[in-house]
Amino acid sequence: MSTAVPDKPALEGLEDKWRERWETDGTYAFDRTKTREQIYSVDTPPPTVSGHLHPGSMWSYTHTDFMVRFKRMSGWEVFYPMGWDDNGLNIERRTQINYGVICDPSLPYVENFEPPAKAPKDPIPVSRPNFVELCTRLVEDFEIEFERLWRTIGLSVDWKYLYRTISPDVTRVSQAAFLQLVDRGDAFRVEAPTLWDVDFQTSLAQADLEDREMAGAYHKVMFSDIAIETTRPELIPACVALVAHPDDERYKARVGTTVRSPLFNVEVPVLAHELAEPDKGSGIAMICTFGDQTDVTWWRELNLPVRPIMGRNGRLLPVEWDDPEVQARYDTIAGRNAKQAQRLIVEMLRESGDLVGDPKPISHAVKFWENGKSPLEIITTRQWFIKFPSKDALLKRTGELQFHPEFMRVRLENWIEGLQGDWNITRQRFFGVPFPVWYPLDADRQVDWETPIPATPDMLPVDPSTVAAPGYTEDQRNQPGGFVGDPDVMDTWATSSLSPEFVSGYLRDDDLFARVFPMDLRPQGQDIIRTWLFYTLVRGEMQFGGLPFTHANISGFVTDPDRKKLSKSAANADDSPFGLIEKHGADSVRYWASGAKPGRDATIDPNEFKIGRRLAMKVLNASRFALSFGEADDDAPVTEPVDLALLQSLSRTIEEASRAFEAYDYTTARAATETFFWSFCDDYLELVKTRAYGEGDQPASATASARRTLRIALGVQLRLLAPVLCFVTEEVWSWFNDGSVHRAGWPTTAELSEWAGSDANVLVQAAHVLGAVRRAKTEAKVGMKTPVARAVVRGTADDVAATEAARADLMAAGVIAELDVAEGEPS
RNA sequence: GGGCGUAUGGCACAGCUGGUUAGCGCGCAGCCUUCACACGGCUGAGGUCACAGGUUCGAGUCCUGUUACGCCCACCA
C-alpha cells in the first residue's frame, strides 16, 4: 500500500488528470463477457443535436451517472452507452436558421456549396443533398461539443458504444423493424386527414402538438335561416354540413333538411351527432374539411364528402365554382393565408348581411406544432401509419414498469387514455431515415400507392431516392412502367423509439443483445413521456410483446434563479454548462445535481455549487490529515470505545446510503454520507488526533487503533461519496490504494461486521461534551486550544459510562486538565 | 373540464408507516487565527410547519375543504 499524500492538495487540475486516466485505463469499459444477470444496462437518452446543451441536460444526465456508478460499484457490470439523436425536424429547423437556407428538392445538387458566413434574411433555396450535407455538418459540430461536456462532467460512459440515429447501423434496424410491421399489416399507408404544419409543410403526429392560448373571435353567420357561430369563417367554402345534438329541441325539426352556405351558396345537410354541444355557441356547428379534430370525427362518422380548400403551404387552393359570382368571391381569397382570407370573408359576410352583429372576441386554445409558428391545419394526405397496440395492452405494460418517482406513471396513463387514431410516422422532410419502399408506375406514369415494393433485407440500409427498387434498374426511375422511391422520411421518434433495441445490438449483434436486453434503466425527462417513453413501450410491445426496460427514472427540470424554466436560448454564458463547470468545478456541479430527487425540479443556485466545492475541499484536507499520522497496521485491533463507536455509526450510514441508492434516491444517500462526513471531521478527528499522533501517555495499541480506524473510515466514506464526487474521491483514493475507487466495491456493513454491536452512543456523548466545552470557550471569548482546568459532566448512568469511555480522548481534544464525571442533573 | 406535484425560519431543503423542547445547509450575528483545512473552525439567534375544519390521548405527519404556484391530460365549433 503506497502512501503519496501531497503537501498542499488542490482541486485544480485534478479533474483533467483523472478524466485522462479513466480513458487510458478503460475504467468504465463494458465487459461483454458477462451475462444478462450480471449486467445492469442503461437506455441512455440520445440528446437531440439541435443546439447547445443547457444546464438542465447536464443535471439530469448526471443523475443517471450517480445510479450507474452506484450499480457498478455494487458489482454489476454496467452497460452505459451514449448516443446522439441527429435526425428530425428540430435539426432541420436549426439548420435553416443557422445557415439561412431552405430545402427545395426540385433543385440540382451544387458541388461545394458554402452558405454565407452570416445567415441572410431571405433563405437561400438549396437542393436536398446540399441541405442534408448542411444538417450533417451542423450535428457534427454539436456532437463534438456534447461529447466534450459529458466527459467534462464525468459521465462514466463507455464511449466505444457511442451511436448516432442517422448512422447506417441504426438506419438499418429502423428500416428493418418498419418492414416487419409492414409485413404484419401493423404499418400501412393510407390517405387520410392529417395534422399539418404549413410552414414546415409536413404532417405531424398527435404527440408533436401543443396548445397555445390565442385571441380569436366568434362570428355569427347565417346558413339560410340558421345562425351558426364559428371562429374560422374563412372555412365556410369548405363547409360540408351543419351539425346539432340529436336531443336539441331547437334543431330537431331541421335535421334531415338542407341549408345554403352564405357567399358560396352550397347546399349542405343539417345533421345530428352526439358530439355537438348545445350550449356552445348557437348549439349548431358547421363541419368543414377540415377545421379541427372534431370535424374529422364528424366527417368520418357521418360519411361526409371532402371539400378541400387548404393547401399544403397554408394558402387557400384554387377551386372551381359553377356560379361566376361565387367564383369571383372565392378568387379574392384564393392564394391567401388563413388570416388574410378570414379578414376578406368577414368583409364579404358583412356586406352580404350574413354576418350577425360584430365578432365576439374570445381567447381559445389552438393546436400548434411544438416548434411551429402557425396554427396547424388538417389536410388530407397519404401517410404511413403505425397501428398502436390496444390501449389496454399499453396500460398493462405501463403498470409493469417501475417509475421513479411513482407519480410520473399517471402522466403516461393519461396520454395513453387520450390517444386518438394511429401513429403517423411520415414526415415530408429531408434529414431522416427514409422509408425503404418504392411504388410502381403504370404506363401513364401514375403512381400505384397501394402496392409498395419493400426493400429486401440485404439491401438495408437503403435510400430509395438513390437506389433502384428490387427487380428494377435505375434507368426505370420515373419512367412509364418503372418506379418511384418513397419521397418521405420517418418521424425521428419512429427511430429513437427503438433505442433499447439498437443499442443492445438487435439485428446486428445477437450475442450482445442476449446479454443486455431487456434493459434495466430508462432515464429521461418528463417532457418526453408522451413521445420517447410512450413510443418505446409501443415498439417493445409490437416487437417483443414486453417491456424494453424495467425502471424508468424521470427527471424534473431546472429553473433559473428567477424560477423560470430554462430554455436553450435563454441560458446566458455564465450559466452555460461549461461556464458552470469552469467556475465551480465538475464535482461541485455534480453535487448540485445530486440535491434533487428524481422527478423534482431544481434551481441553479450558486450557493449549492459553493457547498459542493467546500465539501470537495474538505475531502482533500481531511483525508490528507487522516493519512498523516503514519502508516497504519492493517492487523492492528480496533480497541478504543470512540473508534468502535465511529465504525458502528459508519455502518449505519452505509445501510442508509445503500437503501436510498437502491430506491433510486441518490439525494438521500448523499445527504446521509455528507452528514456523517462532517461529524467525522468536526468531532471524531478532533477527538482522536492527539491519540493518533501517538502523543501523551496513550498506549501504542490505542494509537494503532485510531490510525486503523481512520483508514477504514476514510476508505468507506470515499466509496460512499464516489458516485457524486467522482473526481476528488478518485484522487484521494489513489493516495493509499491501487486501482480506481470507481471499480472498488460499494461498502457493505459486512466489512465492518468485526466491530458490530459497538456502542455508537460513546461518540454521540463525546461530541456532546466537546460541544459544551467549545461553547464555554466561545462564551469566554478564548481560543479552542485554551486549556481547561476542570470540566464537570453530569448526566444519566448511560451518559456517565459513555463519557468515561471517551475520557482520554475528551481530555486531549478539549485540553482539559481535570474531567469530573458523575451522575446527576445537567446544569 | 379531469389529474399530478409543491406549499416548513430571509433563501434552498429534510422530516419514513402520526409520539417528548420541528431538523440540516446557506445567509445573518458573535467568537477563534495560522501545529489538516481562511476555498477555514467554533458558538449562537431565527419557524403559530399556506389557510379552515375534522379524526386522535397526541398531527408538519392522517381525512375533508379552500387558496397560491408549477406541470400533465382533454374532440377548445
Side-chain angles (χ1 to χ4, degrees):
Chain A
M1 189 180 284
S2 63
T3 303
V5 185
D7 287 338
K8 259 291 184 196
L11 294 171
E12 282 63 36
L14 203 152
E15 294 174 358
D16 288 338
K17 167 176 138 191
W18 286 109
R19 211 172 283 129
E20 281 164 31
R21 272 292 290 280
W22 293 334
E23 182 64 19
T24 52
D25 292 357
T27 306
Y28 308 121
F30 171 61
D31 174 3
R32 63 171 293 169
T33 65
K34 295 280 171 42
T35 57
R36 184 66 199 85
E37 52 282 357
Q38 299 169 304
I39 288 170
Y40 184 82
S41 51
V42 183
D43 181 21
T44 317
T48 306
V49 195
S50 65
H52 301 281
L53 288 166
H54 57 82
S57 315
M58 176 169 69
W59 177 79
S60 56
Y61 276 76
T62 308
H63 294 163
T64 306
D65 192 56
F66 298 151
M67 287 312 303
V68 158
R69 288 180 184 273
F70 166 69
K71 290 288 180 184
R72 187 184 291 116
M73 291 176 74
S74 297
W76 297 91
E77 186 58 34
V78 174
F79 180 60
Y80 183 29
M82 184 55 65
W84 313 132
D85 189 7
D86 40 17
N87 64 52
L89 282 172
N90 288 321
I91 286 150
E92 293 196 19
R93 191 169 140 267
R94 169 65 69 167
T95 300
Q96 290 182 185
I97 295 168
N98 263 31
Y99 301 119
V101 296
I102 190 158
C103 181
D104 181 346
S106 68
L107 293 175
Y109 178 67
V110 175
E111 204 74 51
N112 300 320
F113 173 79
E114 194 55 38
K118 191 160 180 273
K121 198 162 183 196
D122 291 320
I124 304 165
V126 297
S127 74
R128 176 176 174 152
N130 283 117
F131 186 70
V132 168
E133 271 180 15
L134 290 173
C135 289
T136 308
R137 186 201 291 189
L138 179 94
V139 298
E140 279 170 358
D141 286 349
F142 280 122
E143 283 165 11
I144 290 166
E145 180 188 316
F146 282 23
E147 178 169 343
R148 192 163 68 87
L149 180 63
W150 292 159
R151 287 181 182 275
T152 306
I153 196 63
L155 299 192
S156 57
V157 160
D158 184 348
W159 289 95
K160 275 207 289 294
Y161 291 86
L162 179 68
Y163 66 89
R164 306 170 74 199
T165 56
I166 51 160
S167 71
D169 268 350
V170 172
T171 298
R172 193 172 62 83
V173 172
S174 181
Q175 291 183 331
F178 167 77
L179 289 176
Q180 284 177 25
L181 296 181
V182 174
D183 246 5
R184 300 205 308 240
D186 288 331
F188 52 90
R189 188 170 166 96
V190 292
E191 186 164 24
T194 317
L195 297 157
W196 189 271
D197 183 89
V198 298
D199 297 316
F200 264 70
Q201 300 201 33
T202 179
S203 65
L204 294 164
Q206 187 186 350
D208 304 315
L209 310 187
E210 74 177 18
D211 286 350
R212 290 186 204 163
E213 203 62 30
M214 299 272 291
Y218 274 126
H219 301 76
K220 195 168 197 176
V221 176
M222 299 308 293
F223 276 66
S224 300
D225 58 325
I226 295 179
I228 61 107
E229 291 196 60
T230 178
T231 56
R232 301 202 61 185
E234 72 275 19
L235 293 180
I236 289 172
C239 179
V240 291
L242 299 191
V243 65
H245 194 275
D247 300 335
D248 193 331
E249 293 298 335
R250 294 171 293 179
Y251 303 108
K252 239 177 182 170
R254 301 301 301 270
V255 172
T257 67
T258 63
V259 290
R260 288 198 166 262
S261 64
L263 302 181
F264 302 94
N265 204 30
V266 176
E267 185 171 10
V268 296
V270 179
L271 303 170
H273 194 279
E274 302 279 342
L275 278 181
E277 293 181 35
D279 49 359
K280 199 170 276 180
S282 58
I284 188 161
M286 70 169 180
I287 302 173
C288 305
T289 51
F290 296 93
D292 63 19
Q293 303 255 32
T294 322
D295 281 345
V296 177
T297 308
W298 280 327
W299 166 80
R300 190 185 297 120
E301 296 186 8
L302 299 170
N303 280 312
L304 295 165
V306 189
R307 195 163 284 144
I309 62 165
M310 185 57 70
R312 295 185 172 206
N313 59 0
R315 296 181 177 272
L316 299 204
L317 298 166
V319 176
E320 299 210 357
W321 303 82
D322 294 337
D323 182 341
E325 208 176 308
V326 169
Q327 186 73 52
R329 279 193 197 114
Y330 187 85
D331 287 347
T332 62
I333 59 170
R336 312 281 188 153
N337 66 29
K339 215 169 162 183
Q340 298 162 338
Q342 180 176 103
R343 200 165 47 235
L344 293 167
I345 286 250
V346 169
E347 266 171 45
M348 289 189 267
L349 286 169
R350 210 171 247 140
E351 255 168 56
S352 69
D354 292 308
L355 182 70
V356 182
D358 283 324
K360 271 193 316 230
I362 55 157
S363 169
H364 63 152
V366 178
K367 298 236 179 273
F368 280 74
W369 174 40
E370 56 186 356
N371 293 310
K373 57 182 204 286
S374 303
L376 291 179
E377 295 293 346
I378 297 172
I379 293 179
T380 302
T381 50
R382 194 177 273 104
Q383 312 286 350
W384 284 101
F385 287 82
I386 288 180
K387 190 173 166 49
F388 285 134
S390 73
K391 289 185 187 182
D392 284 350
L394 292 172
L395 287 170
K396 181 167 168 286
R397 287 300 168 225
T398 302
E400 291 165 9
L401 182 60
Q402 297 192 46
F403 280 82
H404 308 283
E406 173 59 32
F407 67 74
M408 288 293 179
R409 178 190 306 282
V410 70
R411 300 205 181 184
L412 181 56
E413 288 171 345
N414 280 353
W415 176 253
I416 292 170
E417 282 156 6
L419 280 178
Q420 292 177 57
D422 294 313
W423 178 12
N424 173 15
I425 56 164
T426 324
R427 299 292 177 267
Q428 282 64 45
R429 297 301 305 181
F430 319 105
F431 192 58
V433 174
F435 286 91
V437 293
W438 298 259
Y439 306 92
L441 296 174
D442 67 12
D444 299 325
R445 297 214 325 178
Q446 288 297 302
V447 180
D448 178 5
W449 297 108
E450 301 311 311
T451 48
I453 308 160
T456 54
D458 58 298
M459 295 173 78
L460 304 181
V462 69
D463 180 354
S465 71
T466 57
V467 174
Y472 291 83
T473 54
E474 186 57 36
D475 56 8
Q476 289 176 280
R477 186 181 293 275
N478 297 323
Q479 299 304 310
F483 69 93
V484 291
D486 191 300
D488 296 329
V489 297
M490 293 186 200
D491 179 5
T492 185
W493 297 115
T495 298
S496 59
S497 58
L498 288 165
S499 65
E501 284 82 8
F502 58 66
V503 297
S504 299
Y506 182 54
L507 300 180
R508 171 172 53 88
D509 185 339
D510 292 343
D511 175 75
L512 181 66
F513 191 65
R515 292 172 195 276
V516 303
F517 189 90
M519 306 188 83
D520 293 285
L521 177 65
R522 154 60 71 86
Q524 67 162 72
Q526 56 182 322
D527 51 330
I528 49 174
I529 289 175
R530 56 146 81 173
T531 47
W532 197 37
L533 182 57
F534 167 66
Y535 289 139
T536 314
L537 293 198
V538 167
R539 300 307 287 274
E541 183 68 19
M542 300 185 88
Q543 222 69 32
F544 302 102
L547 284 176
F549 35 70
T550 44
H551 296 269
N553 197 55
I554 312 288
S555 54
F557 55 76
V558 173
T559 62
D560 67 17
D562 302 327
R563 287 270 154 194
K564 284 193 219 86
K565 193 176 171 180
L566 280 185
S567 67
K568 285 181 192 179
S569 53
N572 59 43
D574 269 2
D575 281 352
S576 80
F578 288 111
L580 289 171
I581 295 172
E582 193 161 326
K583 200 161 154 191
H584 305 284
D587 274 338
S588 304
V589 173
R590 293 173 65 94
Y591 177 90
W592 160 69
S594 74
K597 290 184 184 184
R600 301 292 292 268
D601 302 341
T603 309
I604 294 190
D605 184 356
N607 216 13
E608 286 295 310
F609 299 116
K610 219 178 85 187
I611 300 164
R613 190 176 171 85
R614 197 173 63 123
L615 177 62
M617 275 305 297
K618 194 75 174 179
V619 167
L620 281 182
N621 284 314
S623 301
R624 178 182 156 233
F625 187 48
L627 296 171
S628 69
F629 303 111
E631 292 291 320
D633 178 354
D634 279 349
D635 297 324
V638 176
T639 53
E640 302 307 295
V642 168
D643 301 339
L644 290 163
L646 181 88
L647 295 178
Q648 180 63 19
S649 171
L650 180 58
S651 183
R652 283 189 206 150
T653 305
I654 294 173
E655 272 179 64
E656 201 180 339
S658 306
R659 202 184 316 117
F661 255 124
E662 290 292 353
Y664 289 78
D665 182 0
Y666 43 79
T667 299
T668 299
R670 185 214 76 198
T673 306
E674 193 182 10
T675 302
F676 181 89
F677 175 69
W678 282 108
S679 79
F680 172 80
C681 293
D682 295 344
D683 298 327
Y684 179 77
L685 274 175
E686 290 301 321
L687 281 165
V688 305
K689 64 182 181 188
T690 309
R691 176 153 57 88
Y693 271 128
E695 292 171 356
D697 51 1
Q698 309 260 6
S701 65
T703 294
S705 173
R707 289 182 183 176
R708 180 150 186 236
T709 305
L710 284 167
R711 295 212 171 212
I712 293 168
L714 188 60
V716 169
Q717 289 178 94
L718 288 173
R719 282 178 288 151
L720 290 174
L721 287 170
V724 175
L725 304 181
C726 64
F727 294 100
V728 75
T729 53
E730 183 76 317
E731 168 69 13
V732 174
W733 184 260
S734 75
W735 294 344
F736 67 117
N737 292 281
D738 296 324
S740 170
V741 69
H742 302 296
R743 282 289 180 177
W746 181 254
T748 63
T749 55
E751 293 174 33
L752 305 180
S753 61
E754 194 184 327
W755 308 287
S758 308
D759 182 8
N761 191 44
V762 172
L763 194 52
V764 175
Q765 176 65 13
H768 185 67
V769 173
L770 191 57
V773 172
R774 285 167 178 159
R775 196 175 309 121
K777 290 182 180 179
T778 297
E779 279 163 13
K781 303 195 175 191
V782 297
M784 288 300 139
K785 289 186 173 113
T786 309
V788 175
R790 182 160 180 270
V792 179
V793 176
R794 293 290 178 268
T796 64
D798 284 350
D799 294 340
V800 169
T803 311
E804 287 298 349
R807 170 176 281 277
D809 291 336
L810 268 173
M811 291 176 72
V815 205
I816 299 166
E818 185 193 345
L819 185 59
D820 174 4
V821 183
E823 281 186 51
E825 284 297 306
S827 54

